Amino acid sequence: MDNQDHQKERKPLLYIQTANHLMEEIRKRKLQPHDLVPSEGEIAKLYGVSRMTAKLALQILEKKGIVYRHARRGTFVSADYQAHSEELVLKAIEEKKPMRRIALVIPNIDDYIGRIIASVEKEAREADCHLLIRMTADKEDESICLQELYDDQVEGIIFYPRGSTQCSEKVLELSLLNYPLVIIDRIFREVQLDCVYHDHYHGAYKTTQYLIEKGHQEIGYISMPFDGVTSREDRYRGYLQAMLDHDLLVNSRNLYLNCLEDYMYQLNAPNVQLASFLGNNSMLSAVVCADDYIATSCLYTAISMQLWVPDQLSIIGFTDIQLASLLSVPLTTARQATEKLGQAAVQRVVKRMENSREGALTIKIDTTIVERSSVRTYGVD
């Protein structure tokens, strides 16, 4: 371990630093016993930290007997603070470093989210953070979970919204408090928030371009309704742009953008909606599916129609769920790098915990094409 690493390891936590700064402020102002000390809000502004950090700093001073607190009245210098003040700076650094707590709030657990959890947990350990995981039941429960974590003084939250189309009031409220909150796999364009999400636009562009390079021209696109979900919108725009950039006609008949989620309950059964779409578009040689679940349903629907994959129809998905490699025709798809997503999310929330006033940042994680058996070169037997 070099000197720089050693110094980094010995550096006290931000709320301990803030407590020490506040001690210096008490001395500088020559505050006497029972004088009012700066409030959480004043401390946050004075030192450029979050209100949570300010609150933890005051709790340290209270525990050391330097201040005492009255509900609704404020925090005051204690009668015997001089007996404890001189030892604070040294002892606070010598105390065993407690692990910071961060939380991951998720809407459900499937293969994709499971991989996100694993990557976040791994990176949290590297950052000396204790990870809490909360799974929400519905939109209302999301807000309840966020509030409970904030009230429990969890120092930062990584939030995977439940199919959100708009930023919730609770997220806005935490944002206004400069609370360390990082959104993953979604982006809310109407508000400045820290977001880490996969580059859906370029991912779909690359899958479409991949088919074009394989000789396909009549390429369809299948998606669930957008409903304001930015990832679905971005993937569709990527498909359109790739078609336009290669001077290929975008035929409205080749688009099916209203695939209901009923297919999720029985992926290996024929889907009536997709059967109708494929049956009415016999000229299609390939389809881009907005996710691997739709691609799986499309695959089994095509097989049930004796439309063989990839000989008569090439199918490409998006996400690379575990199921994709286990299908009767293993699925070519765009892989979302969950490890990079988790790493970036933890690093960003830790950065926010250290500097709550830094400007919001959007981090895009690239995707890669995973070639399997569901796509063939058009016109080649």
Side-chain angles (χ1 to χ4, degrees):
M1 179 182 296
D2 59 27
N3 289 337
Q4 185 177 1
D5 290 337
H6 181 71
Q7 289 172 1
K8 182 177 180 181
E9 184 180 13
R10 291 281 295 172
K11 184 179 179 180
L13 295 175
L14 184 58
Y15 64 85
I16 293 178
Q17 295 178 54
T18 304
N20 290 335
H21 290 324
L22 187 55
M23 275 300 309
E24 292 299 323
E25 191 69 21
I26 290 173
R27 295 191 189 101
K28 185 170 70 174
R29 297 187 185 187
K30 298 180 180 180
L31 298 182
Q32 300 301 309
H34 312 299
D35 284 349
L36 187 67
V37 304
S39 67
E40 291 176 11
E42 291 170 334
I43 294 169
K45 290 181 180 179
L46 191 61
Y47 303 116
V49 297
S50 68
R51 290 181 67 96
M52 178 65 72
T53 298
K55 185 175 184 178
L56 291 172
L58 286 173
Q59 286 178 349
I60 282 187
L61 297 185
E62 183 178 22
K63 182 179 178 181
K64 292 287 184 180
I66 292 166
V67 301
Y68 64 93
R69 311 183 79 177
H70 270 308
R72 295 183 297 276
R73 290 181 56 194
T75 304
F76 302 85
V77 177
S78 67
D80 58 346
Y81 89 97
Q82 288 289 357
H84 306 283
S85 63
E86 296 303 326
E87 64 186 30
L88 175 68
V89 175
L90 291 177
K91 285 199 170 183
I93 297 175
E94 291 169 358
E95 285 178 351
K96 183 179 178 180
K97 181 179 179 180
M99 292 186 73
R100 295 170 291 183
R101 293 186 303 157
I102 62 174
L104 174 64
V105 178
I106 55 175
N108 53 56
I109 298 181
D110 57 15
D111 172 60
Y112 173 63
I113 294 180
R115 285 187 282 137
I116 291 176
I117 293 172
S119 64
V120 169
E121 201 277 337
K122 180 181 178 182
E123 188 64 22
R125 286 174 179 260
E126 292 291 327
D128 290 326
C129 292
H130 178 66
L131 179 66
L132 308 175
I133 298 175
R134 293 288 298 269
M135 186 166 67
T136 61
D138 50 38
K139 291 288 188 67
E140 182 180 355
D141 192 41
E142 274 188 345
S143 295
I144 292 172
C145 285
L146 292 173
Q147 185 63 50
E148 287 177 347
L149 291 168
Y150 176 79
D151 291 342
D152 195 35
Q153 300 177 16
V154 171
E155 293 173 74
I157 297 174
I158 299 169
F159 179 39
Y160 190 136
R162 175 176 288 275
S164 297
T165 60
Q166 291 182 331
C167 183
S168 70
E169 290 185 8
K170 184 55 63 178
V171 169
L172 284 172
E173 180 182 329
L174 293 177
S175 176
L176 291 172
L177 291 171
N178 287 319
Y179 180 79
L181 177 70
V182 175
I183 310 294
I184 59 170
D185 210 54
R186 294 286 187 275
I187 184 170
F188 298 117
R189 296 190 175 100
E190 71 272 20
V191 63
Q192 293 295 312
L193 292 168
D194 284 304
C195 298
V196 180
Y197 76 117
H198 288 104
D199 194 339
H200 302 283
Y201 173 84
H202 284 104
Y205 187 101
K206 286 191 290 188
T207 58
T208 307
Q209 182 173 255
Y210 175 83
L211 292 173
I212 295 170
E213 290 172 349
K214 291 288 186 179
H216 297 275
Q217 295 189 8
E218 289 290 334
I219 302 171
Y221 189 84
I222 304 174
S223 173
M224 289 184 290
F226 299 156
D227 292 334
V229 178
T230 53
S231 58
R232 297 176 190 172
E233 295 174 356
D234 287 349
R235 292 176 193 181
Y236 178 56
R237 290 193 305 109
Y239 157 81
L240 290 177
Q241 194 61 53
M243 294 289 284
L244 294 173
D245 285 351
H246 291 82
D247 298 321
L248 295 179
L249 180 66
V250 178
N251 190 331
S252 61
R253 288 190 56 189
N254 294 347
L255 309 176
Y256 190 67
L257 309 179
N258 196 34
C259 188
L260 302 180
E261 294 189 49
D262 295 347
Y263 70 88
M264 291 286 289
Y265 300 111
Q266 202 169 0
L267 289 172
N268 62 349
N271 181 297
V272 176
Q273 290 179 296
L274 296 182
S276 175
F277 171 70
L278 295 175
N280 291 328
N281 290 276
S282 58
M283 296 299 293
L284 287 177
S285 67
V287 289
V288 176
C289 295
D291 64 45
D292 286 350
Y293 293 109
I294 292 178
T296 300
S297 185
C298 186
L299 170 65
Y300 283 112
T301 299
I303 292 173
S304 74
M305 299 170 64
Q306 297 188 338
L307 188 62
W308 305 115
V309 178
D311 294 341
Q312 293 172 280
L313 181 70
S314 290
I315 299 174
I316 194 164
F318 201 108
T319 301
D320 193 29
I321 60 175
Q322 187 175 22
L323 177 65
S325 64
L326 304 175
L327 299 174
S328 57
V329 181
L331 185 66
T332 297
T333 185
R335 174 176 291 167
Q336 294 179 290
T338 51
E339 183 174 354
K340 290 182 180 178
L341 183 81
Q343 287 175 347
V346 173
Q347 290 168 7
R348 187 59 193 160
V349 80
V350 169
K351 184 82 171 179
R352 269 293 187 189
M353 287 154 55
E354 294 171 350
N355 183 3
S356 66
R357 295 188 175 276
E358 186 174 84
L361 188 64
T362 296
I363 301 171
K364 293 182 181 181
I365 308 298
D366 201 10
T367 60
T368 56
I369 300 291
V370 180
E371 296 184 275
R372 296 195 180 100
S373 305
S374 65
V375 174
R376 76 178 182 99
T377 302
Y378 186 68
V380 178
D381 293 331

